Amino acid sequence: MIQGVICGKGGQGVITLNAMIGTLAANMGIPAVSAETHGMAMRGGSVATYIKIGECLSAAVAEGAADFIISLTKDEALRNINFIKKDGVLIVDTDQPFDLTGVKIFSLPASDIAEREFGGRIYGGQVLLGIFLGCFDGIDTAKALEILKTAPKISIAAIEYGVKYAQTH
Amino acid sequence: MVNGFFLGNELIALAAVNSGVKSAYAYPGTPSSEILSAFQKFAPERYAQWSLNEKIALELASGEAISGSSTLCCMKMVGLNVAADPLFSVAYTGVDGAMVLVSADDPGPYSSQTEQDSRMYAVSARVPVLDPCNPQDAYRLTMLAYQISEKYRLPVMVRPVMRVCHSRQNFMADDFSAIPIRETILSGTFRKDMPRWAATPKFRRILHEKLNKNLDFLAAEMAPKIPEKRYDMAVVASGYAYAMAKDVIDEMNLPFDIIKVDMPFPLDRQFVIEAEMVYDRIVVLEETFPVIEHNFTIKTEGRLTGLVPSEGELTADIIADILLKTAGITRETAKAGITVNESPVNLKPRLCAGCGHRPAFYAMKLAAPNGIFPGDIGCYTLGVNLNAVDTCICMGASITFAEAMKRSNPDRPVICTIGDSTFFHTGVAGLTNAVVNSAPIVVAILDNETTAMTGFQPVPHKTGKLTIEQACAGAGVKHIVNADPYNMKKGVEALKQALAYAHTDNAPAVVIFTKECVTKTRYKNKKTAEITDACTDCTICYEKFECPAIYRDKAKRMAKIDESACIGCMVCIQVCPQKAIGVKK
Ligand code: SF4
Ligand code: SF4
Ligand code: SF4
């Protein structure tokens, strides 16, 4: 089982990113459960979502148990850092460095890159998704990309950028 | 078949569609709102209504179900407070078709005023209640709820918590168009039965007795199964607490049998006695009140014994701690090895950049610096950040609180705020009361032409069949003016005039601030605002006025506008005392 936290600020597309990963898992025939927060928290506040991929009933991630955190801001990554386990993977959209040890960090200004390379900041999330797909041995990256084939071309390009980034960093 | 990743709320709607529901009624409220939208999406040919409030929704769903139809009614738990009146009564009469009431709870709370447990209503109204543990289970239990309702002719409640409503899970769904439509979907068949549908107190007692018998049969039929015994300790759990406990027990290999309770009320007596006999220790896990736990008398721990915290959401960590403590196991710390040398900046929710509510609140502060500002429920509760919301109690209480506050504080101006959807929900009655009782208050109706907080559900006055002005006039208000919130000066003037009117005429005045929700319309002016060097860093625009598009440039010690976030409402220009903000050329 792989479990993690996907977080950011309200309105950044955190929920969409979480649902993309879950849908991908479902289409790969792997069970998955996620949990989101809607409502008041979405008006620019902190949004944290959870996902467990594998056999389980709930999406509740315990502290120190997350295999990964994907965060659309540095602050939200830090706010949820208590969830990550030793040697877990931290994937963050930021141009700031982290003062943090004990985890594997992929930090890059994904939205800026997406704006430059793919013409829109919104594809930053897909870049992070690509890194996620590329950095876990447990995920069949080739199969995932095969399933994603029907997605819009730009999305695929952004995801592939992320996969490559993960494989070369 | 499509293998999708569905929200719990979507699967509840899908189960209602597949159970042959004719009509669905709801009032939006987090975390329940997506159920009706999903019902509309899955079965566009069936009837779905966003009712004015939850009482109306439940009465309509009940009325159709009494006519032999199958209905769905959805709300959040505080909505059930509003709908409690019909619930208690329909529990006695029952229905002739089928009716499922979904009341979604919000332990935490995340988006609500309380952590109340809808299952307590079920117990007290004597309505069977099912408590799903995740989206797939929500589908199964909603289907079961319709079967129970049809078989016993009773209204049945399904109570998902937020973590079930807003979880997604993989689910194999049928092709929706292939769902057979049954007769009952097309029309009901009302059968007159006065002793039942119009029961007098004498008949009510008879109905009550019949109901109690039915509940006993149902409890026995639905009795939870005690598994083959492996351990001396058992966890008895329902809802999301069950899902978490099952995962924790499996992942950590803890020495507990686990028993799932699908239906916390009515709970079979025999099951309880048997469980108490079989096990040495029982831990009951449920959210948020000890509904199941109250049935147990011996060997049992939970909220009543202080083992389980009495407030807040249960988490995997809390449940793990409870079970480890009960089992006498000490937990090794997993976090060793990670060092974090920085901490995050706190984020609080704020009104969106360019939201029409912000300047309306700001105008209120300018028009009545020592005013009292009762508020209401919606995005605009965030007016607390602008110090323009002093109370937030429940839907519609802004207007009644304004009347009360004015009576207690006659020397201070009172301006209350209420959104358009909330105004039609329960505001109209409060406003009528204020008119009848000569309350010299100002009611600011913040009309964003939608129900924004819960996901942009439609509002009554956008049907073109009535206006807010007509509703106010109908309530007896004589002073009703419209104001554009983006024009600060005129807004302040309108409020001052309204206050003057209220005091001289001893009657409520209404100011309607209309600006369609910019987040819904994705409004963006071609031009943005810009801050010049005249800025003295007085903090007003980014702290007091709090536009999220404005931030403080620490190095330059002045305010700055994030052009990608600024939508160009140009209100900050009117707010800056230094005239340091202008339209960007
Ligand atoms: S969603 Fe609409 S009404 Fe709510 S804060 Fe944003 S702009 Fe204002
Ligand atoms: S309100 Fe005007 S002077 Fe004050 S910080 Fe903002 S731009 Fe500067
Ligand atoms: S114009 Fe001013 S107040 Fe309006 S969104 Fe832009 S920065 Fe905010």
Side-chain angles (χ1 to χ4, degrees):
Chain A
M1 183 165 66
I2 299 175
Q3 52 182 319
V5 180
I6 300 166
C7 51
K9 279 196 300 189
Q12 277 190 314
V14 174
I15 290 176
T16 312
L17 188 57
N18 187 313
M20 277 178 76
I21 294 177
T23 308
L24 188 59
N27 283 313
M28 291 172 84
I30 309 167
V33 199
S34 77
E36 315 167 344
T37 43
H38 296 200
M40 196 56 104
M42 285 166 81
R43 300 281 167 267
S46 306
V47 175
T49 67
Y50 309 88
I51 190 161
K52 281 182 173 176
I53 304 162
E55 286 298 338
C56 58
L57 292 181
S58 78
V61 175
E63 291 194 20
D67 299 289
F68 68 92
I69 293 179
I70 302 177
S71 181
L72 297 171
T73 72
K74 182 180 170 186
D75 278 323
E76 295 314 301
L78 290 173
R79 199 183 317 284
N80 291 291
I81 203 75
N82 53 322
F83 283 104
I84 206 158
K85 69 177 188 199
K86 173 103 174 72
D87 300 326
V89 183
L90 187 59
I91 305 169
V92 189
D93 182 348
T94 178
D95 53 6
Q96 305 287 311
F98 274 89
D99 189 356
L100 183 65
T101 59
V103 294
K104 184 161 170 44
I105 302 175
F106 291 96
S107 77
L108 73 170
S111 306
D112 296 345
I113 293 170
E115 187 169 23
R116 204 176 58 225
E117 305 274 329
F118 312 110
R121 301 186 67 78
I122 46 160
Y123 297 107
Q126 263 98 311
V127 172
L128 301 184
L129 171 62
I131 296 177
F132 168 75
L133 296 178
C135 72
F136 276 99
D137 293 340
I139 295 175
D140 185 342
T141 314
K143 191 173 167 195
L145 288 175
E146 176 65 28
I147 285 170
L148 285 166
K149 237 177 31 196
T150 52
K153 274 210 174 67
I154 308 182
S155 296
I156 299 174
I159 292 169
E160 280 174 346
Y161 181 100
V163 171
K164 208 165 291 157
Y165 185 95
Q167 286 161 351
T168 52
H169 281 78
Chain B
M1 299 287 269
V2 275
N3 196 354
F5 194 52
F6 291 94
L7 262 188
N9 279 348
E10 291 175 320
L11 293 182
I12 290 171
L14 188 60
V17 171
N18 288 349
S19 298
V21 165
K22 172 182 180 291
S23 304
Y25 298 89
Y27 183 81
T30 311
S32 72
S33 312
E34 299 81 7
I35 305 172
L36 193 84
S37 337
F39 183 85
Q40 289 171 313
K41 183 178 74 186
F42 293 139
E45 77 288 355
R46 313 233 189 134
Y47 186 77
Q49 178 187 109
W50 287 112
S51 307
L52 253 58
N53 66 36
E54 294 85 355
K55 178 177 185 302
I56 293 174
L58 187 57
E59 286 165 359
L60 291 171
S62 306
E64 285 216 56
I66 280 174
S67 306
S69 300
S70 181
T71 61
L72 171 69
C73 184
C74 315
M75 59 193 63
K76 72 182 293 183
M77 77 295 189
V78 286
L80 188 55
N81 297 337
V82 178
D85 206 357
L87 177 72
F88 280 69
S89 193
V90 173
Y92 279 25
T93 62
V95 294
D96 220 8
M99 177 170 81
V100 170
L101 161 66
V102 181
S103 181
D105 284 357
D106 185 17
Y110 286 83
S111 249
S112 308
Q113 307 94 288
T114 69
E115 291 193 286
Q116 68 190 69
D117 187 336
S118 296
R119 301 175 310 159
M120 295 294 272
Y121 268 112
V123 174
S124 131
R126 308 196 66 70
V127 169
V129 57
L130 304 179
D131 191 3
C133 79
N134 60 25
Q136 290 176 1
D137 201 40
Y139 181 86
R140 178 181 72 90
L141 289 188
T142 306
M143 295 293 285
L144 187 59
Y146 278 103
Q147 287 159 20
I148 294 172
S149 181
E150 228 167 277
K151 179 171 171 190
Y152 289 89
R153 302 290 176 204
L154 289 174
V156 176
M157 187 192 293
V158 173
R159 189 294 301 250
V161 295
M162 183 275 261
R163 292 297 182 196
V164 173
C165 294
H166 290 166
S167 271
R168 286 177 202 269
Q169 196 169 18
N170 58 298
F171 185 80
M172 281 290 231
D174 293 310
D175 184 2
F176 310 125
S177 54
I179 297 158
I181 299 199
R182 283 184 293 160
E183 278 299 291
T184 53
I185 295 174
L186 303 172
S187 72
T189 42
F190 179 65
R191 277 192 294 251
K192 294 197 183 215
D193 185 357
M194 252 178 311
R196 191 171 170 205
W197 309 131
T200 52
K202 195 180 89 196
F203 283 108
R204 286 270 162 185
R205 205 203 140 272
I206 299 168
L207 290 176
H208 191 185
E209 196 181 326
K210 231 179 93 191
L211 170 63
N212 286 338
K213 278 201 186 110
N214 261 329
L215 291 175
D216 286 343
F217 284 127
L218 175 61
E221 184 187 329
M222 289 282 296
K225 305 276 166 299
I226 294 179
E228 200 177 312
K229 188 179 170 187
R230 289 175 58 208
Y231 299 106
D232 293 330
M233 295 187 292
V235 169
V236 174
S238 76
Y240 196 60
Y242 168 81
M244 287 190 287
K246 176 86 170 72
D247 283 353
V248 165
I249 290 172
D250 288 352
E251 278 165 36
M252 301 175 88
N253 247 324
L254 299 178
F256 288 90
D257 283 352
I258 182 157
I259 300 169
K260 182 178 192 295
V261 178
D262 282 341
M263 188 178 73
F265 176 82
L267 189 63
D268 186 45
R269 280 298 312 150
Q270 212 47 47
F271 156 74
V272 174
I273 294 166
E274 213 175 302
E276 284 173 340
M277 254 157 51
V278 172
Y279 293 102
D280 294 342
R281 284 177 90 178
I282 296 168
V283 176
V284 181
L285 296 172
E286 58 189 324
E287 286 179 312
T288 53
F289 291 165
V291 170
I292 297 171
E293 193 182 339
H294 265 299
N295 292 279
F296 288 81
T297 45
I298 49 167
K299 300 179 181 174
T300 304
E301 290 169 86
R303 285 216 158 85
L304 295 174
T305 62
L307 177 70
V308 179
S310 294
E311 51 288 306
E313 186 186 32
L314 290 177
T315 63
D317 286 296
I318 294 174
I319 288 179
D321 284 343
I322 288 169
L323 297 183
L324 287 167
K325 191 175 152 201
T326 308
I329 306 169
T330 41
R331 188 185 198 179
E332 80 278 16
T333 45
K335 258 185 298 176
I338 299 177
T339 51
V340 190
N341 302 317
E342 43 192 341
S343 52
V345 178
N346 262 330
L347 267 193
K348 61 178 179 191
R350 294 189 284 185
L351 294 167
C352 306
C355 175
H357 299 338
R358 177 179 289 105
F361 283 127
Y362 208 79
M364 281 164 49
K365 300 265 302 173
L366 293 178
N370 69 333
I372 301 174
F373 307 123
D376 224 300
I377 315 278
C379 288
Y380 54 96
T381 308
L382 292 171
V384 288
N385 295 352
L386 288 108
N387 288 318
V389 167
D390 290 322
T391 62
C392 170
I393 300 296
C394 65
M395 294 285 284
S398 55
I399 303 178
T400 46
F401 265 56
E403 180 186 334
M405 297 274 185
K406 186 68 194 176
R407 197 156 293 132
S408 282
N409 308 271
D411 298 335
R412 293 175 69 182
V414 177
I415 307 177
C416 68
T417 46
I418 184 163
D420 44 348
S421 183
T422 310
F423 175 68
F424 283 110
H425 178 280
T426 31
V428 179
L431 186 58
T432 314
N433 197 71
V435 169
V436 171
N437 296 290
S438 308
I441 55 169
V442 173
V443 177
I445 300 179
L446 305 180
D447 176 17
N448 60 1
E449 305 189 339
T450 185
T451 316
M453 187 78 214
T454 47
F456 314 118
Q457 289 80 10
V459 283
H461 54 301
K462 293 305 281 178
T463 56
K465 293 172 187 164
L466 80 171
T467 65
I468 294 179
E469 290 86 336
Q470 285 170 340
C472 293
V477 180
K478 300 282 177 330
H479 183 103
I480 307 164
V481 288
N482 285 284
D484 173 2
Y486 281 3
N487 190 329
M488 184 70 73
K489 211 169 138 206
K490 288 210 173 131
V492 175
E493 242 164 60
L495 287 167
K496 281 188 175 161
Q497 277 168 10
L499 282 167
Y501 165 85
H503 289 160
T504 46
D505 280 50
N506 218 21
V510 169
V511 180
I512 307 169
F513 286 98
T514 305
K515 180 59 66 184
E516 197 170 5
C517 166
V518 294
T519 299
K520 183 187 172 206
T521 57
R522 297 178 190 271
Y523 171 80
K524 196 157 166 78
N525 193 338
K526 280 189 210 75
K527 295 202 167 127
T528 61
E530 184 182 44
I531 293 173
T532 66
D533 288 344
C535 169
T536 58
D537 198 19
C538 75
T539 77
I540 286 181
C541 60
Y542 58 86
E543 261 178 23
K544 258 182 129 171
F545 186 63
E546 213 201 33
C547 175
I550 313 180
Y551 62 96
R552 181 169 188 260
D553 185 333
K554 282 195 200 108
K556 285 197 179 154
R557 296 195 175 189
M558 62 182 281
K560 265 245 135 98
I561 289 177
D562 174 353
E563 275 177 41
S564 65
C566 169
I567 70 129
C569 70
M570 307 304 174
V571 178
C572 53
I573 298 175
Q574 307 161 50
V575 165
C576 171
Q578 305 298 330
K579 305 220 178 319
I581 313 181
V583 179
K584 190 174 179 195
K585 294 280 172 337

